[in-house]
Amino acid sequence: MSEATIDLSAVGNLLVIAPPGCGKTELLARRAEAIIPMLMPNQRILALTFSNKAKANLNSRLLSVLGTERKRRYVSVHNFHGHAAEIVRSHGWTAGIDPLGAMPDKHTQAVAVEPFLEGLAGDAYYAMKDRIEEELREAKRGAWNDQEVLDRLSDGDARSLAVETARQANGTYFYDDLLRHSQRLLRVPEIARLYQSHYAAVLVDEFQDLSPQQLEIALRSSSKSRTFVGDPMQGIYSWTGAKPVHVERVLRLITGEAHGLGVSYRSSPAVLQVLAAVARPLGGQLLDPHDPDGWFEGGIAAGGMYPTAEAEANFVLHASAEILARRPNDTIGVICRNGWRRKQIDSAFAESDLPCIRWDLTVDDARIVEMLQDAAARLGGNPELQALSAEARRVLDPSDIDTSAELTDAVAQIEGLVEQSGSVGAALAQLRVSNDVSEVISPGVHLLNAHTGKGQQFDWVFIPGFEHGNIPSYKAKKAADIEEEQRVLLVMLSRARHGVVLTRANKLVSKAGNSYSPSQSRWAVTVRDALRANSAEFLAHVSRIPVECEVAQSEVSTHARIVG
Ligand SMILES: Nc1ncnc2c1ncn2[C@@H]1O[C@H](COP(=O)(O)OP(=O)(O)OP(=O)(O)O)[C@@H](O)[C@H]1O
């Protein structure tokens, strides 16, 4: 089915379930366009996302469909944390919640737990840390007040209860507190009515990542028109409380029927063959490419094996350089399942002069760097770090707690750079970022981990470390965890447009410094037939790509792609 067969202007609820690259995010932008003429004066559309990267992705689709003015006037895009923070800040007193309590960042809970792990080391330390985090999450996954949270924790480990008791005494919030408090507040009919009359519609991408609590927050924030799109086969957030089966069941009850989309607008035939091999055992099937003849040699899917992780990293670096030499505007994602398996890749790219962005370094984020550079300029160019941080936050929406957390991270990273460069001004000047902050993914190489790549796309994708222990992660023990790892692999592969390369190393060195030989990933056999090329054939394919080639821009696509 294509988007054209779905009536986007129909009043009411809409559920769309479709595989990667079929245009679900794009459909949300078109749904917004169809709803705007039905808005009453002062009404807006609320779009909810899970991270700043996803927010930037949806924002750019909305901008390309609606244009700047209609987007600004009619659509608010918030992350769940930001939406929850806004509800707590605006209405907290109604339920005895301090709206001025300290808002969390991604380190707040970990820092609060740390003192309670004293005396533990090695595996015992990590096991207890995981247990406390899990017990806190469980105790807060409903609309419970502070006393009820303490009661729920009283059956668990004494350390979990102690962490929560200290948090309540200090008046700080963790992310999960914002969610449960906003859930509680939205259960107050008068508060829910305020949001429902302001937001005539709600749009949610990646519904499979919702916890029941987030689902309730989305449903209570807007009552007349709710649009949810997603793909249960890309559900990779069960460890944060996502419940795709439950959420889909509730959504089907609300929406009546689910629509599907069955054509890939993203990936080449070669990439789609690999996706089909991984998706089939999960219940998926081969997707047709929208324009099968529009890809140079049909795209490419390759596999390679290297003696060491260093040799593997050198191949990825060399291949990226070859691609960018011919196609400087292409985007390349090097996606690792786990951060630890990216070490050699990071070092290889750090020493090269290829344009390269590390997604876990906030000082590589053009938007954050621009905010800091603007703040520095307002303060005369070379401020103290604390003043810089305060000035950047001064112009930030106080509910945008994810950006606030990114600013905290960036300032900490700049502190390290100041030691080398001598001053804050000099450190800011040396930051390498793309020229265009509106680009969600700038040309060049992007180094990232599997979960952060959700919903994004690159012309080329490299997946290093296709070994047991990494893919699947050594932490996955139960059958359900292994199945989730298979979905993680599907998510990584499906970020690719033209080409995808899976590589592995024969020898790795453990944290303790011992050399070992990892076995291949359990899915190496699954994809073997679909990976038609080896590394040499991959490089030969790249070398045949015409340097001066026509660039086709599909009507709605913002990315150029290679045409034959
Ligand atoms: N109807 C369409 N015509 C042409 N191109 C489209 C259409 N719909 C989507 N695209 C393009 O296809 C690509 C993938 O679309 P999109 O990201 O919306 O897919 P998705 O289903 O949300 O993928 P994922 O599940 O991975 O998040 C984008 O480049 C988008 O611009």
Side-chain angles (χ1 to χ4, degrees):
M1 187 185 285
S2 78
E3 186 194 309
T5 59
I6 302 176
D7 181 4
L8 294 176
S9 60
V11 179
N13 304 318
L14 177 64
L15 174 63
V16 177
I17 301 179
C22 292
K24 298 185 292 297
T25 308
E26 199 72 37
L27 180 140
L28 284 185
R30 300 203 171 275
R31 175 75 161 154
E33 186 180 38
I35 291 172
I36 285 173
M38 300 183 238
L39 296 178
M40 312 269 280
N42 297 322
Q43 280 191 325
R44 293 175 72 81
I45 298 168
L46 171 68
L48 289 170
T49 54
F50 291 87
S51 68
N52 272 355
K53 286 280 183 207
K55 187 168 151 184
N57 189 15
L58 184 55
N59 263 322
S60 92
R61 306 292 178 91
L62 288 162
L63 278 171
S64 74
V65 171
L66 303 178
T68 315
E69 185 47 28
R70 276 196 303 170
K71 153 78 188 58
R72 191 191 59 74
R73 227 169 124 185
Y74 297 118
V75 191
S76 304
V77 185
H78 293 306
N79 288 340
F80 271 95
H81 295 148
H83 183 52
E86 188 184 328
I87 294 168
V88 169
R89 290 177 70 92
S90 308
H91 308 285
W93 287 128
T94 311
I97 304 158
D98 178 4
L100 302 175
M103 289 292 151
D105 62 35
K106 65 180 177 208
H107 307 295
T108 308
Q109 180 169 306
V111 169
V113 168
E114 192 60 40
F116 296 90
L117 297 170
E118 218 178 280
L120 298 173
D123 288 349
Y125 171 93
Y126 288 108
M128 182 51 73
K129 186 167 176 287
D130 286 351
R131 176 164 179 188
I132 294 174
E133 284 171 1
E134 174 63 24
E135 286 184 352
L136 288 173
R137 184 161 54 244
E138 274 299 302
K140 298 180 182 188
R141 66 180 166 75
W144 299 307
N145 66 28
D146 282 358
Q147 185 53 51
E148 286 166 324
V149 168
L150 293 177
D151 293 346
R152 301 181 81 82
L153 285 168
S154 61
D155 290 340
D157 192 276
R159 295 176 206 236
S160 311
L161 182 61
V163 172
E164 176 59 15
T165 307
R167 183 201 69 75
Q168 293 187 11
N170 296 339
T172 52
Y173 295 119
F174 300 160
Y175 282 143
D176 289 339
D177 295 307
L178 293 180
L179 291 175
R180 78 181 158 95
H181 284 323
S182 62
Q183 186 186 14
R184 292 175 62 209
L185 289 166
L186 285 171
R187 284 188 181 184
V188 177
E190 292 76 14
I191 297 176
R193 263 200 302 277
L194 276 177
Y195 284 88
Q196 290 164 7
S197 56
H198 183 58
Y199 292 124
V202 63
L203 312 175
V204 181
D205 203 356
E206 316 267 14
F207 77 71
Q208 73 280 358
D209 294 338
L210 290 167
S211 65
Q213 188 171 51
Q214 288 165 321
L215 175 64
E216 185 179 324
I217 291 169
L219 293 175
R220 287 186 190 272
S221 297
S222 182
S223 58
K224 297 216 168 51
S225 167
R226 291 109 156 207
T227 305
F228 289 82
V229 302
D231 175 13
M233 240 179 282
Q234 293 185 69
I236 59 172
Y237 276 98
S238 67
W239 53 284
T240 62
K243 294 272 184 287
V245 176
H246 164 87
V247 169
E248 184 181 331
R249 200 171 46 233
V250 173
L251 288 177
R252 280 180 184 271
L253 285 175
I254 292 169
T255 57
E257 66 166 323
H259 295 271
L261 302 168
V263 176
S264 169
Y265 290 99
R266 174 181 296 146
S267 303
S268 66
V271 171
L272 290 176
Q273 292 283 344
V274 190
L275 291 190
V278 177
R280 223 174 269 128
L282 294 167
Q285 54 188 334
L286 178 65
L287 270 180
D288 288 328
H290 166 66
D291 180 13
D293 302 325
W295 302 89
F296 179 76
E297 295 181 355
I300 187 158
M305 186 163 83
Y306 295 85
T308 61
E310 285 76 12
E312 179 193 44
N314 284 336
F315 164 74
V316 176
L317 176 66
H318 172 63
S320 302
E322 293 294 306
I323 292 167
L324 293 175
R326 310 188 79 74
R327 306 272 316 164
N329 288 320
D330 273 10
T331 56
I332 300 173
V334 183
I335 309 180
C336 287
R337 168 64 188 92
N338 295 291
W340 61 268
R341 193 56 185 80
R342 234 185 58 198
K343 225 170 101 210
Q344 292 79 5
I345 299 273
D346 286 353
S347 312
F349 279 92
E351 285 159 23
S352 88
D353 51 11
L354 285 186
C356 175
I357 290 179
R358 278 183 59 172
W359 282 25
D360 45 2
L361 273 190
T362 6
V363 285
D364 271 7
D365 184 326
R367 196 176 55 92
I368 297 295
V369 170
E370 189 186 51
M371 289 175 78
L372 289 169
Q373 288 175 338
D374 286 353
R378 290 195 296 274
L379 295 171
N382 191 21
E384 293 293 315
L385 263 185
Q386 257 189 345
L388 175 71
S389 173
E391 175 61 20
R393 278 196 175 73
R394 194 179 58 77
V395 292
L396 189 68
D397 171 356
S399 301
D400 190 353
I401 58 172
D402 286 330
T403 303
S404 175
E406 287 179 339
L407 284 169
T408 306
D409 272 4
V411 168
Q413 288 157 19
I414 290 170
E415 195 169 7
L417 297 176
V418 172
E419 283 167 25
Q420 299 151 24
S421 48
S423 71
V424 172
L428 282 173
Q430 79 178 57
L431 297 178
R432 289 187 304 176
V433 290
S434 102
N435 295 331
D436 185 355
V437 288
S438 67
E439 262 171 346
V440 181
I441 298 188
S442 55
V445 181
H446 296 257
L447 306 181
L448 59 146
N449 300 342
H451 286 78
T452 44
K454 200 81 196 293
Q456 312 288 343
Q457 59 186 15
F458 304 90
D459 295 312
W460 306 82
V461 165
F462 291 88
I463 302 177
F466 196 36
E467 300 125 11
H468 183 73
N470 185 43
I471 305 172
S473 165
Y474 67 92
K475 286 187 182 163
K477 302 270 192 287
K478 293 186 245 146
D481 299 337
I482 300 281
E483 198 175 302
E484 179 137 327
E485 290 292 301
Q486 193 167 356
R487 293 195 295 270
V488 173
L489 175 61
L490 184 71
V491 168
M492 292 195 281
L493 290 165
S494 58
R495 302 309 95 207
R497 289 169 57 78
H498 180 84
V500 68
V501 190
L502 283 153
T503 54
R504 74 180 183 98
N506 237 338
K507 282 249 175 316
L508 292 175
V509 179
S510 72
K511 253 199 234 161
N514 303 320
S515 173
Y516 67 102
S517 302
S519 47
Q520 65 179 14
S521 164
R522 64 163 66 203
W523 296 297
V525 178
T526 315
V527 294
R528 192 169 48 209
D529 291 344
L531 298 181
R532 300 263 166 85
N534 60 29
S535 329
E537 289 160 342
F538 176 80
L539 290 174
H541 169 85
V542 172
S543 72
R544 288 192 297 273
I545 292 175
V547 177
E548 295 295 327
C549 59
E550 195 187 331
V551 166
Q553 193 107 33
S554 74
E555 252 177 56
V556 288
S557 171
T558 51
H559 286 279
R561 66 187 180 83
I562 301 162
V563 293

